[in-house]
């Protein structure tokens, strides 16, 4: 499966910089975030496409007040989404600019109208946010556009994840990526449960990845070692910009460090390889092999006193020592000769 130019079956991890609300209502902030994301090595920038009206009702009843120990407690849902949304009239400029500088760009639609709106930009993929995983009609409609579909699993039961995967497959879309996600902002490390990443791939027959809301860069690096092929992390150029998501986003320096660490991790993981490379062959000089440790005359018996396993490794392999001991020498040997 490919997203943009990246084949997720290769060793490279697809790193998504989540813009989310980190423009803080300023188009220039959004454009600068895209520019810097490209500069520091992200593969894609991701938007969120909604309005307060497509997300919720403009109500101040208790059900619509954010609570529960979040960063946004006390706000109404309408206030939160009005504050955090990316204006739809920005999208054309954001998509054009990202493509002009060579970074992939796509979005999370939150209702069918957002999907219809985004289709004009022919995005490389769609992302279903974790809180939308139970919205079957949104998943069905989005998957029907036959783009790779990335689904966060933060609030879902295993049956709800299966439902989402089945819906995609029912409409003929098998390009499915499931992201392990902890839907807390920020997410405690002890709730990450990153071992789920490989299990998602095995259980549902999909590519798996990680949408990270923890603080710092440790979790996404560990996720890559556990098989994550997609990493999504909130990104802000400078936390002093402020905004709804600034507190749990990585700034330029932190995101850059994460990208470098992930690329280094990819090199470290490499591939399953037992071949004898030139480097391995050269290093074998420091292995042990059989050498003559005392002058030997023709007809003498090989013993542990005159044949030893020592470094370097240019002689016969040590595993043959017992086959040699007790036999007669067929020629003269000098101290330090390789036994071959």
């Amino acid at each position: 499966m490919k997203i943009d130019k990246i084949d997720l079956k290769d060793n490279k991890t697809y790193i998504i910089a989540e813009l989310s609300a980190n423009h803080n209502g300023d188009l220039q902030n959004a454009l600068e975030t895209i520019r810097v994301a490209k500069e520091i090595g992200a593969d894609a920038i991701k938007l969120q496409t909604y309005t307060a009206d497509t997300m919720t009702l403009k109500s101040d009843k208790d059900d619509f007040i954010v609570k529960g120990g979040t960063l946004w407690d006390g706000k109404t849902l309408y206030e939160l989404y009005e504050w955090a949304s990316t204006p739809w009239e920005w999208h054309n400029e954001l998509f054009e600019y990202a493509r002009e500088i060579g970074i992939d760009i796509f979005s999370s639609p939150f209702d069918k109208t957002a999907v219809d709106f985004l289709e004009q930009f022919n995005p490389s993929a769609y992302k279903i946010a974790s809180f939308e995983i139970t919205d079957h009609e949104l998943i069905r409609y989005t998957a029907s556009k036959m783009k790779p579909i990335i689904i966060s699993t933060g609030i879902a039961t295993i049956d709800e994840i299966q439902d989402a995967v089945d819906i995609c497959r029912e409409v003929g879309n098998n390009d499915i990526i499931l992201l392990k996600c902890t839907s807390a902002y920020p997410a405690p490390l002890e709730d990450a449960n990153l071992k789920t990443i490989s299990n998602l791939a095995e259980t549902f027959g999909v590519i798996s990845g990680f949408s990270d809301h923890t603080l710092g860069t440790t979790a996404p690096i560990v996720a890559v070692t556990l098989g994550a092929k997609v990493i999504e992390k909130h990104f802000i150029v400078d936390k002093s910009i402020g905004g709804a998501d600034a507190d749990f986003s990585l700034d330029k320096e932190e995101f850059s460090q994460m990208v470098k660490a992930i690329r280094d991790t990819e090199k470290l993981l490499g591939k399953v390889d037992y071949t004898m490379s030139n480097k391995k062959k050269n290093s074998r000089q420091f292995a042990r092999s059989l050498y003559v440790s005392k002058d030997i005359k023709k007809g003498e018996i090989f013993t542990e006193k005159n044949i030893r396993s020592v470094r370097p490794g240019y002689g016969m392999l040590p595993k043959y020592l017992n086959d040699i001991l007790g036999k007669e020498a067929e020629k003269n040997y000098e101290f330090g000769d390789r036994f071959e």
Side-chain angles (χ1 to χ4, degrees):
M1 182 197 315
K2 282 188 175 181
I3 300 181
D4 192 35
K5 299 172 184 176
I6 295 179
D7 189 337
L8 299 184
K9 293 183 180 179
D10 291 341
N11 286 334
K12 188 177 180 184
T13 310
Y14 185 69
I15 301 175
I16 303 167
E18 168 69 80
L19 174 63
S20 186
N22 285 331
H23 48 72
N24 202 21
D26 187 321
L27 174 58
Q28 293 309 310
N29 283 342
L31 293 168
E32 177 68 359
T33 303
I34 294 172
R35 185 191 68 78
V36 175
K38 166 65 176 178
E39 177 186 307
I40 61 178
D43 296 301
I45 191 85
K46 191 183 78 65
L47 314 178
Q48 294 185 0
T49 304
Y50 63 84
T51 67
D53 289 305
T54 67
M55 289 288 274
T56 189
L57 302 178
K58 193 173 185 178
S59 171
D60 58 3
K61 288 187 175 182
D62 189 61
D63 282 359
F64 293 84
I65 305 295
V66 180
K67 50 184 110 40
T70 75
L71 295 171
W72 314 294
D73 281 10
K75 288 184 177 292
T76 67
L77 288 173
Y78 196 92
E79 288 170 337
L80 173 60
Y81 298 131
E82 194 170 43
W83 176 35
S85 65
T86 300
W88 290 27
E89 59 267 25
W90 292 3
H91 280 58
N92 186 61
E93 187 168 353
L94 297 179
F95 269 84
E96 283 187 353
Y97 180 65
R99 287 167 173 167
E100 178 185 321
I101 66 172
I103 185 171
D104 192 20
I105 183 169
F106 64 100
S107 188
S108 292
F110 286 79
D111 77 327
K112 290 182 179 180
T113 67
V115 177
D116 290 338
F117 173 73
L118 289 166
E119 274 291 286
Q120 68 183 296
F121 305 114
N122 192 27
S124 59
Y126 282 112
K127 163 75 187 298
I128 301 296
S130 60
F131 294 116
E132 271 57 49
I133 195 170
T134 57
D135 189 340
H136 289 187
E137 287 311 304
L138 174 62
I139 294 172
R140 190 183 315 278
Y141 193 65
T142 307
S144 73
K145 303 307 176 183
M146 305 310 292
K147 306 271 196 334
I149 185 165
I150 304 168
I151 305 174
S152 278
T153 62
I155 64 162
T157 66
I158 192 167
D159 288 338
E160 289 168 337
I161 298 170
Q162 186 66 66
D163 287 344
V165 170
D166 289 345
I167 288 166
C168 294
R169 289 177 173 154
E170 284 168 9
V171 299
N173 191 335
N174 293 302
D175 289 340
I176 305 163
I177 302 104
L178 294 178
L179 303 187
K180 175 67 183 74
C181 173
T182 304
S183 296
Y185 308 88
L189 295 182
E190 59 270 21
D191 291 343
N193 295 317
L194 296 183
K195 289 184 178 180
T196 311
I197 291 169
S198 58
N199 189 260
L200 282 171
E202 294 164 6
T203 302
F204 299 101
V206 298
I207 288 172
S208 61
F210 181 46
S211 178
D212 184 30
H213 302 131
T214 66
L215 299 178
T217 62
T218 301
I221 297 163
V222 174
V224 172
T225 71
L226 294 172
K229 301 302 296 179
V230 174
I231 295 292
E232 178 186 67
K233 188 81 170 175
H234 285 252
F235 173 55
I236 190 167
V237 175
D238 183 338
K239 291 181 182 179
S240 67
I241 293 170
D245 299 338
D247 287 352
F248 57 89
S249 298
L250 296 185
D251 63 20
K252 176 181 177 181
E253 182 178 352
E254 293 167 329
F255 204 97
S256 178
Q257 290 172 351
M258 182 192 75
V259 171
K260 183 181 184 305
I262 288 173
R263 299 306 179 213
D264 287 346
T265 300
E266 291 166 347
K267 293 174 185 175
L268 289 165
L269 289 172
K271 60 185 178 181
V272 177
D273 181 18
Y274 295 102
T275 60
M276 185 56 64
S277 66
N278 288 332
K279 287 183 180 179
K280 283 185 182 179
K281 290 176 182 176
N282 291 337
S283 293
R284 285 176 71 88
Q285 65 181 295
F286 299 109
R288 286 178 178 263
S289 63
L290 300 183
Y291 274 81
V292 175
S293 54
K294 183 179 179 182
D295 289 346
I296 301 171
K297 300 292 185 184
K298 182 178 179 179
E300 283 189 40
I301 302 298
F302 296 130
T303 69
E304 290 183 353
K305 292 184 177 181
N306 57 29
I307 298 291
R308 289 181 55 200
S309 170
V310 296
R311 294 185 182 187
Y314 299 115
M316 184 180 288
L317 292 173
K319 68 179 183 178
Y320 296 114
L321 178 60
N322 287 333
D323 296 334
I324 295 164
L325 296 178
K327 293 182 178 178
E328 290 186 2
E330 296 180 355
K331 63 177 184 178
N332 294 334
Y333 293 87
E334 292 183 356
F335 174 80
D337 282 348
R338 299 175 189 171
F339 196 88
E340 297 176 316

